[in-house]
Amino acid sequence: RTFTGNGSLVISGGTVTMNILAVGGGGGGGNGGDSVYASGPYVGYQFQWAGGGGGGGGVSNNSNIALASNTYAVVVGGGGSSDSNGNNSTISSYTGNGGGRGGSYQSAGGAGGSGGGGCGYYGTQGNAGTAGGSGSQGNSGGSGYASANFYRELGGGGGGAGGAGGNAPRSAVATPSFLVEPVRCSTEVISFTPKPGLAEISFSTRT
């Protein structure tokens, strides 16, 4: 018999031997967002973070289980809301653990049936992101990644029954370039300072 929602398993007439498969609800994805530095060397600049993927529900596979005549409550765990672990699924003493939540602002993925992926967060130059959570009945989540120049924040993948979540790729991000065309004007010095991580450009023009 298969349950897709909460219910009861009624056994009468003696002990029954069965296989029990309990799968927990998947974890919710982590929250992404952005904010502005209020102090420090980057005051006034915007920064971002990318939430990690939620982990899959844990798989509890039990063979040749003898259950005596009785009525057994069956709970089918639902998926977690954003930034929350999934819910457990249970029958008798057998439980499929809910999946771990995805990592949000500066946080690792949550532990669960399978672990959630880590957050990709830019806080300091070269931040490597945060790690994924561990899995108790599945696999761990992948690590997030944040680049060194504000332009690439990636969350890690959630783990599942078949394998670990993928780490966010560490591919290089090209630094934006600027084309400067000469103009005829009175003598002056022009200074341009882009966001942190880019070189300061200063040049002068003259008639």
Side-chain angles (χ1 to χ4, degrees):
R1 182 175 177 184
T2 301
F3 289 88
T4 58
N6 296 343
S8 298
L9 176 65
V10 179
I11 297 176
S12 59
T15 298
V16 176
T17 300
M18 64 186 70
N19 299 328
I20 296 177
L21 174 65
V23 180
N31 293 317
D34 60 78
S35 189
V36 175
Y37 286 107
S39 60
Y42 304 121
V43 61
Y45 285 106
Q46 185 182 53
F47 64 95
Q48 305 86 32
W49 61 93
V59 177
S60 175
N61 196 356
N62 311 275
S63 300
N64 299 318
I65 304 302
L67 293 182
S69 296
N70 206 338
T71 298
Y72 298 88
V74 176
V75 176
V76 177
S81 57
S82 178
D83 200 30
S84 298
N85 280 15
N87 297 287
N88 295 346
S89 295
T90 61
I91 176 173
S92 184
S93 60
Y94 303 95
T95 300
N97 295 323
R101 60 169 179 77
S104 292
Y105 180 65
Q106 288 185 284
S107 71
S114 283
C119 173
Y121 164 73
Y122 181 93
T124 56
Q125 297 277 350
N127 192 325
T130 51
S134 60
S136 60
Q137 297 174 325
N139 291 281
S140 298
S143 296
Y145 173 69
S147 70
N149 56 13
F150 291 90
Y151 292 106
R152 189 181 182 90
E153 290 77 28
L154 303 170
N167 294 328
R170 266 69 171 163
S171 56
V173 180
T175 300
S177 59
F178 298 88
L179 176 63
V180 179
E181 297 183 357
V183 294
R184 296 184 63 83
C185 58
S186 59
T187 302
E188 61 179 331
V189 176
I190 300 173
S191 179
F192 174 77
T193 304
K195 288 185 177 181
L198 307 180
E200 180 172 328
I201 300 172
S202 296
F203 62 92
S204 62
T205 64
R206 62 182 181 178
T207 56

